[in-house]
Amino acid sequence: MRSPRDRRRSRTSTLSVRSAQDLGVGEQPLISTSPTVPARTAAPAAARTPSPRTQAPRTQATNQAARTPNAGPVRGPVPGTDEIIFLPLGGCNRIGMNMTLYGHAGKWLIVDAGVAFGGDDMPEVQSFMVDPAFIEERMDDVVGLVVTHAHEDHIGAIHHLWPRLECPIYATPFATHLIRERLKEAGVARAVQVNTFPIGGRFRIGPFDIEAIAVTHSVPEPVSLAIRTRAGNLLHTGDWKFDPEPLVGQSTDFAALKRFGDEGVLAMVCDSTNAQVEGSTGSEGQARAGLVDAFRGRRGAIAVTCFASNVARMKGIAEAAAANDRKVVLAGRSLLRMEKAARACGYLDGLQPFLSLSEASSIPRRNLVLICTGSQGEERSALSKIARAEHRSLALQAGDTVIFSARTIPGNEDAIGAIYELLTRMGVSIVTPSDAPVHVSGHPARGDLTRMYELIRPRFAVPVHGEIHHLEAHARLARGCGVERALVPEDGDVIRLAEVNTSVIDHIEPHRLVNDGQFLLPWAGSVEATFGIRAEQRAEHKGLNHTHAAA
């Protein structure tokens, strides 16, 4: 193994990774009674890349084949009773693909198992995820997998990696609902033990005493994990912000955070996404007010695109629509899935049911708001299909408005710019967060981070969830807040957290898996190496298949 001292912190990833907010952004094939625009000729379903959810038996089989070939078992530490071992397999170096291991007293706890997405330069790749080979060798000592929240970069790999991660799963009600739906689609739900814990609940898993403390984020029911062990206390914040008006769910439990801080905290493993942003992150209540104003006075139809998992934004858009005498219709499979989960958990109580596409066909355009997927320019999203005039049931026209209620994720600028251009040619007005306050982040800015350090007062800081420049900025802030030491990890670093000799003690080379829609494959560092043929040849091969199938 390489010494962590020998590695260069400034290295860049070979992956072009999108935000892991949501997976499955293609539209649900709902067809209105009077389609507003005819669909363009498309390849028959049989010629399209199958969904991984239709390939469950094969996916399980290929999980075994997808293991990174190694000559023997993966080496690594056996955690002692006087230490907590922190080992991020994903979630450092890049946004997404979060998976963290904590070791103590001979046992291991997994926190989250998410995915990251390939960029537009990788059409073959649906998602990336951690190769769990290291922890798979130790499954007899794994006490469970605890989920902090329901974003795809935290839960999206679970149904793919089962049964390689065959252990009990613990999650809040909303996350449980989504995890079970995915497991059902994969055909393994009956084999998986998913345990639901309440927000604010406390439970023991092996040598780990865990309290789920309520925080706020851009998805319902996020929790920070207060982990108590004989070697000391640790806070794993997950993704969070301090939102005084979250619109759905509970507000942050400041009393519980302070109480945990009063007990003495050895280390805090904390979100770094906005560590370079000054001030404090805005509230969902502010985004709703911005949307109300943005809707006012518009004559045509309004389409709002946002991350599907942001149920608070969905509610805010619906309330802004009602304030402007408009009805809401959803377009996008992931939005419909999130609406189902939100209504099942009571987060949209009091809102009228959203219109179906067929119901919306009889409503005047000036009285409609469309919530659609596609805020990042995803090719298969509802907004992309509308912009290309390829949607079966929906069309925009001159005088309509599209509001982008999401920030542009680095790497997606070109895809989003292409959508802007298509919409502008139609005569559609575009509103972005730089034009009006129609979006707020789900992550803490520097002022929020400082407040969290004042509450928790950890001895050591471990910045995670970001690229290296985010982590380094967070570490500098933490030192300014008085921590004894801030350790900036890379994926695969083995960090000993203890009363004495806290340090990076080893490094496990983290391997990745690729989901191409049918199989999980070991990532070989490039599309060409992974798939065995050049990207151009693969694209040409797909095009020929589609042509033959259409004929």
Side-chain angles (χ1 to χ4, degrees), residues 461-474:
V462 185
V464 295
H465 202 282
E467 298 176 1
I468 189 66
H469 57 96
H470 300 116
L471 274 56
E472 293 283 7
H474 184 164

PDB file of all heavy atoms in Angstrom, residues 461-474:
ATOM      1  N   ALA A 461     -11.530  17.738  13.358  1.00  0.00           N
ATOM      2  CA  ALA A 461     -12.450  17.970  12.249  1.00  0.00           C
ATOM      3  C   ALA A 461     -12.033  17.107  11.067  1.00  0.00           C
ATOM      4  O   ALA A 461     -10.840  17.016  10.744  1.00  0.00           O
ATOM      5  CB  ALA A 461     -12.449  19.443  11.850  1.00  0.00           C
ATOM      6  N   VAL A 462     -13.029  16.475  10.418  1.00  0.00           N
ATOM      7  CA  VAL A 462     -12.776  15.677   9.221  1.00  0.00           C
ATOM      8  C   VAL A 462     -13.739  16.163   8.133  1.00  0.00           C
ATOM      9  O   VAL A 462     -14.893  15.732   8.082  1.00  0.00           O
ATOM     10  CB  VAL A 462     -12.966  14.168   9.478  1.00  0.00           C
ATOM     11  CG1 VAL A 462     -12.579  13.373   8.227  1.00  0.00           C
ATOM     12  CG2 VAL A 462     -12.150  13.702  10.676  1.00  0.00           C
ATOM     13  N   PRO A 463     -13.321  17.071   7.266  1.00  0.00           N
ATOM     14  CA  PRO A 463     -14.195  17.545   6.193  1.00  0.00           C
ATOM     15  C   PRO A 463     -14.419  16.463   5.139  1.00  0.00           C
ATOM     16  O   PRO A 463     -13.483  15.766   4.733  1.00  0.00           O
ATOM     17  CB  PRO A 463     -13.419  18.726   5.594  1.00  0.00           C
ATOM     18  CG  PRO A 463     -12.366  19.069   6.603  1.00  0.00           C
ATOM     19  CD  PRO A 463     -12.042  17.787   7.291  1.00  0.00           C
ATOM     20  N   VAL A 464     -15.675  16.315   4.692  1.00  0.00           N
ATOM     21  CA  VAL A 464     -16.022  15.358   3.648  1.00  0.00           C
ATOM     22  C   VAL A 464     -17.039  16.017   2.710  1.00  0.00           C
ATOM     23  O   VAL A 464     -17.391  17.173   2.865  1.00  0.00           O
ATOM     24  CB  VAL A 464     -16.598  14.042   4.224  1.00  0.00           C
ATOM     25  CG1 VAL A 464     -15.557  13.303   5.036  1.00  0.00           C
ATOM     26  CG2 VAL A 464     -17.852  14.313   5.058  1.00  0.00           C
ATOM     27  N   HIS A 465     -17.524  15.241   1.756  1.00  0.00           N
ATOM     28  CA  HIS A 465     -18.566  15.658   0.814  1.00  0.00           C
ATOM     29  C   HIS A 465     -18.127  16.894   0.042  1.00  0.00           C
ATOM     30  O   HIS A 465     -18.640  17.991   0.224  1.00  0.00           O
ATOM     31  CB  HIS A 465     -19.894  15.911   1.535  1.00  0.00           C
ATOM     32  CG  HIS A 465     -21.084  15.829   0.604  1.00  0.00           C
ATOM     33  ND1 HIS A 465     -21.423  16.852  -0.250  1.00  0.00           N
ATOM     34  CD2 HIS A 465     -21.998  14.849   0.418  1.00  0.00           C
ATOM     35  CE1 HIS A 465     -22.504  16.510  -0.932  1.00  0.00           C
ATOM     36  NE2 HIS A 465     -22.862  15.291  -0.554  1.00  0.00           N
ATOM     37  N   GLY A 466     -17.167  16.687  -0.859  1.00  0.00           N
ATOM     38  CA  GLY A 466     -16.696  17.776  -1.688  1.00  0.00           C
ATOM     39  C   GLY A 466     -15.442  17.391  -2.431  1.00  0.00           C
ATOM     40  O   GLY A 466     -14.869  16.317  -2.218  1.00  0.00           O
ATOM     41  N   GLU A 467     -15.021  18.267  -3.326  1.00  0.00           N
ATOM     42  CA  GLU A 467     -13.740  18.112  -3.989  1.00  0.00           C
ATOM     43  C   GLU A 467     -12.654  18.661  -3.068  1.00  0.00           C
ATOM     44  O   GLU A 467     -12.941  19.271  -2.039  1.00  0.00           O
ATOM     45  CB  GLU A 467     -13.776  18.827  -5.335  1.00  0.00           C
ATOM     46  CG  GLU A 467     -14.821  18.241  -6.276  1.00  0.00           C
ATOM     47  CD  GLU A 467     -14.936  18.995  -7.584  1.00  0.00           C
ATOM     48  OE1 GLU A 467     -14.180  19.979  -7.779  1.00  0.00           O
ATOM     49  OE2 GLU A 467     -15.794  18.619  -8.401  1.00  0.00           O
ATOM     50  N   ILE A 468     -11.410  18.474  -3.467  1.00  0.00           N
ATOM     51  CA  ILE A 468     -10.307  18.792  -2.558  1.00  0.00           C
ATOM     52  C   ILE A 468     -10.308  20.262  -2.140  1.00  0.00           C
ATOM     53  O   ILE A 468     -10.017  20.592  -0.981  1.00  0.00           O
ATOM     54  CB  ILE A 468      -8.948  18.389  -3.197  1.00  0.00           C
ATOM     55  CG1 ILE A 468      -7.812  18.512  -2.188  1.00  0.00           C
ATOM     56  CG2 ILE A 468      -8.689  19.172  -4.452  1.00  0.00           C
ATOM     57  CD1 ILE A 468      -7.896  17.543  -1.045  1.00  0.00           C
ATOM     58  N   HIS A 469     -10.695  21.160  -3.052  1.00  0.00           N
ATOM     59  CA  HIS A 469     -10.679  22.581  -2.680  1.00  0.00           C
ATOM     60  C   HIS A 469     -11.767  22.900  -1.667  1.00  0.00           C
ATOM     61  O   HIS A 469     -11.602  23.783  -0.823  1.00  0.00           O
ATOM     62  CB  HIS A 469     -10.795  23.467  -3.921  1.00  0.00           C
ATOM     63  CG  HIS A 469     -12.008  23.226  -4.769  1.00  0.00           C
ATOM     64  ND1 HIS A 469     -13.154  23.972  -4.660  1.00  0.00           N
ATOM     65  CD2 HIS A 469     -12.234  22.307  -5.747  1.00  0.00           C
ATOM     66  CE1 HIS A 469     -14.035  23.542  -5.544  1.00  0.00           C
ATOM     67  NE2 HIS A 469     -13.517  22.531  -6.207  1.00  0.00           N
ATOM     68  N   HIS A 470     -12.915  22.171  -1.729  1.00  0.00           N
ATOM     69  CA  HIS A 470     -13.948  22.350  -0.706  1.00  0.00           C
ATOM     70  C   HIS A 470     -13.439  21.876   0.654  1.00  0.00           C
ATOM     71  O   HIS A 470     -13.639  22.537   1.682  1.00  0.00           O
ATOM     72  CB  HIS A 470     -15.212  21.560  -1.069  1.00  0.00           C
ATOM     73  CG  HIS A 470     -15.848  21.947  -2.362  1.00  0.00           C
ATOM     74  ND1 HIS A 470     -15.940  21.091  -3.423  1.00  0.00           N
ATOM     75  CD2 HIS A 470     -16.431  23.101  -2.752  1.00  0.00           C
ATOM     76  CE1 HIS A 470     -16.546  21.701  -4.426  1.00  0.00           C
ATOM     77  NE2 HIS A 470     -16.859  22.923  -4.045  1.00  0.00           N
ATOM     78  N   LEU A 471     -12.790  20.703   0.667  1.00  0.00           N
ATOM     79  CA  LEU A 471     -12.315  20.124   1.922  1.00  0.00           C
ATOM     80  C   LEU A 471     -11.225  20.983   2.553  1.00  0.00           C
ATOM     81  O   LEU A 471     -11.198  21.177   3.778  1.00  0.00           O
ATOM     82  CB  LEU A 471     -11.802  18.700   1.678  1.00  0.00           C
ATOM     83  CG  LEU A 471     -12.834  17.559   1.719  1.00  0.00           C
ATOM     84  CD1 LEU A 471     -13.989  17.773   0.744  1.00  0.00           C
ATOM     85  CD2 LEU A 471     -12.170  16.209   1.437  1.00  0.00           C
ATOM     86  N   GLU A 472     -10.333  21.506   1.723  1.00  0.00           N
ATOM     87  CA  GLU A 472      -9.253  22.340   2.253  1.00  0.00           C
ATOM     88  C   GLU A 472      -9.813  23.634   2.840  1.00  0.00           C
ATOM     89  O   GLU A 472      -9.371  24.092   3.902  1.00  0.00           O
ATOM     90  CB  GLU A 472      -8.240  22.649   1.150  1.00  0.00           C
ATOM     91  CG  GLU A 472      -7.454  21.431   0.655  1.00  0.00           C
ATOM     92  CD  GLU A 472      -6.354  21.020   1.628  1.00  0.00           C
ATOM     93  OE1 GLU A 472      -6.271  21.581   2.740  1.00  0.00           O
ATOM     94  OE2 GLU A 472      -5.561  20.116   1.267  1.00  0.00           O
ATOM     95  N   ALA A 473     -10.792  24.235   2.165  1.00  0.00           N
ATOM     96  CA  ALA A 473     -11.414  25.455   2.689  1.00  0.00           C
ATOM     97  C   ALA A 473     -12.115  25.174   4.011  1.00  0.00           C
ATOM     98  O   ALA A 473     -12.055  25.977   4.958  1.00  0.00           O
ATOM     99  CB  ALA A 473     -12.397  26.023   1.668  1.00  0.00           C
ATOM    100  N   HIS A 474     -12.793  24.035   4.102  1.00  0.00           N
ATOM    101  CA  HIS A 474     -13.466  23.640   5.338  1.00  0.00           C
ATOM    102  C   HIS A 474     -12.435  23.439   6.454  1.00  0.00           C
ATOM    103  O   HIS A 474     -12.653  23.864   7.599  1.00  0.00           O
ATOM    104  CB  HIS A 474     -14.256  22.363   5.093  1.00  0.00           C
ATOM    105  CG  HIS A 474     -15.071  21.903   6.248  1.00  0.00           C
ATOM    106  ND1 HIS A 474     -16.077  20.966   6.116  1.00  0.00           N
ATOM    107  CD2 HIS A 474     -15.056  22.215   7.572  1.00  0.00           C
ATOM    108  CE1 HIS A 474     -16.629  20.738   7.298  1.00  0.00           C
ATOM    109  NE2 HIS A 474     -16.017  21.482   8.195  1.00  0.00           N
TER     110      HIS A 474
END
